[in-house]
């Protein structure tokens, strides 16, 4: 029912299998569809059980990052996949049904922990994930409630859709104050053409001109 897709610069489309008929797949796969139409499975040396691929991100050099969530939401993992090699970047993550993954231009990985209410960051050099938004974070970012879909803008701005408050946030460069850029916290449009209500935002994407 929910598949994760991302396209590489060379035109390869990656697809992470999600849930079907409200059930977790026994062994979800990550598939690659080449520009020529050839479909293949991305090799992952570490076994995954029933669950789903929550998010995919691809670096400029073709390195693929994949965010897996087990069926119970207790053992989320992020893998780095390159040249047939599998490296676990993080494990034990507690994601939700709409948790996702994003990759910053500096190599920072971001993922949303929908059930815990946090957006987490992993530095390019690795190390423990740190919260950048959600409960316990100082400032406006601490008001996020149920962050799910993520999107990385061309300028490195991270966009986060909060599915409970119906708001979309923008997290700019280091030191910039997070700002709400879409939504009114209302679930229904009240007829005011100067505002735009979003009922449970479910995704963030950009076109080739960088428009959200």
């Amino acid at each position: 029912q929910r598949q994760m897709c991302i396209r590489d610069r060379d035109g390869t489309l990656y697809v992470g299998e999600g849930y079907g008929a409200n059930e977790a797949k026994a062994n979800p796969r990550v598939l690659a569809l080449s520009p020529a139409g050839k479909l293949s499975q991305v090799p992952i040396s570490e076994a995954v059980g029933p669950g789903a691929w929550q998010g995919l991100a691809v670096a400029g050099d073709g390195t693929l990052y994949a965010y897996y969530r087990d069926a119970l939401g207790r053992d989320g993992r992020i893998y780095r996949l390159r040249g047939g090699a599998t490296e676990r970047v993080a494990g034990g993550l507690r994601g939700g049904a709409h948790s996702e993954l994003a990759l910053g231009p500096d190599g920072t990985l971001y993922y949303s922990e929908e059930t815990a209410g946090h957006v987490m960051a992993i530095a390019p050099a690795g190390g423990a994930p740190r919260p950048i938004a959600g409960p316990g974070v100082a400032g406006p970012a601490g008001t996020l409630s149920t962050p799910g879909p993520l999107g990385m803008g061309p300028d490195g701005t991270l966009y986060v859709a909060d599915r409970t408050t119906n708001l979309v946030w923008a997290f700019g460069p280091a030191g910039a104050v997070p700002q709400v850029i879409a939504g009114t916290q209302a679930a229904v449009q009240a007829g005011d053409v100067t505002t735009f209500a979003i009922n449970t935002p479910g995704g963030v994407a950009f076109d080739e001109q960088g428009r959200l």
Side-chain angles (χ1 to χ4, degrees):
Q1 286 185 333
R2 187 169 188 266
Q3 313 290 327
M4 299 307 304
C5 303
I6 193 168
R7 190 178 297 277
D8 199 349
R9 289 183 178 180
D10 67 359
T12 300
L13 179 67
Y14 294 100
V15 181
E17 291 186 323
Y19 293 98
N22 296 320
E23 295 181 356
K25 295 186 71 67
N27 294 288
R29 302 169 298 172
V30 177
L31 304 172
L33 181 63
S34 74
K38 181 181 179 181
L39 184 66
S40 60
Q41 183 172 343
V42 177
I44 300 175
S45 60
E46 187 169 296
V48 297
W53 293 101
Q54 293 289 127
L56 301 173
V58 62
D61 63 357
T63 299
L64 180 68
Y65 294 87
Y67 178 13
Y68 163 81
R69 172 181 176 263
D70 74 317
L72 299 178
R74 297 175 180 174
D75 184 23
R77 311 170 200 167
I78 297 176
Y79 294 103
R80 182 185 290 114
L81 308 171
R82 178 66 173 171
T86 302
E87 178 186 357
R88 186 191 288 206
V89 178
L93 313 182
R94 301 183 65 84
H98 297 89
S99 296
E100 288 190 10
L101 177 71
L103 177 65
D106 65 347
T108 299
L109 282 170
Y110 301 92
Y111 67 92
S112 50
E113 287 192 327
E114 186 182 21
T115 53
H118 291 108
V119 176
M120 308 293 288
I122 302 175
R130 61 180 178 85
I132 64 166
V137 176
T143 64
L144 264 72
S145 177
T146 316
L150 304 178
M152 183 59 62
D155 62 351
T157 297
L158 176 69
Y159 294 88
V160 181
D162 192 331
R163 293 173 52 79
T164 297
T165 62
N166 301 319
L167 300 175
V168 178
W169 288 75
F171 292 78
V177 178
Q179 296 182 351
V180 172
I181 54 95
T184 64
Q185 295 196 29
V188 179
Q189 187 72 19
D192 181 359
V193 296
T194 63
T195 60
F196 180 63
I198 304 175
N199 186 357
T200 318
V204 179
F206 299 85
D207 64 14
E208 293 181 351
Q209 286 73 45
R211 296 176 297 188
L212 176 65

